[in-house]
Amino acid sequence: LLDGPATIAALRQVDPAVRFAFMTGGSGAWNFDELMATGALRLYDKPFDLARLGPDLLALAAEGRSAAA
């Protein structure tokens, strides 16, 4: 079973430019700074406000599309 950072490392073997955000109910062995140092765009703590989460994720996706163009 992979944790978040291990999952990102595996995904980067396929696509080094993968963009991601973490959603967590607790960082476990990882603190905020360590998770952000992996290249995460955001860290969302649960419970999160879906009314804010949706627009924020859409904005991050749009940034990724414009950066890829």
Side-chain angles (χ1 to χ4, degrees):
L1 187 63
L2 299 176
D3 64 7
T7 300
I8 296 308
L11 288 171
R12 283 202 169 126
Q13 291 178 356
V14 175
D15 180 0
V18 67
R19 296 168 42 88
F20 62 96
F22 286 113
M23 295 179 185
T24 181
S27 59
W30 305 94
N31 67 39
F32 175 84
D33 291 332
E34 291 169 327
L35 291 173
M36 294 305 290
T38 65
L41 300 172
R42 300 277 193 290
L43 175 62
Y44 300 99
D45 287 315
K46 295 176 188 173
F48 38 81
D49 180 358
L50 290 177
R52 294 183 64 179
L53 178 66
D56 194 40
L57 290 176
L58 286 172
L60 289 173
E63 290 172 15
R65 283 191 299 271
S66 65

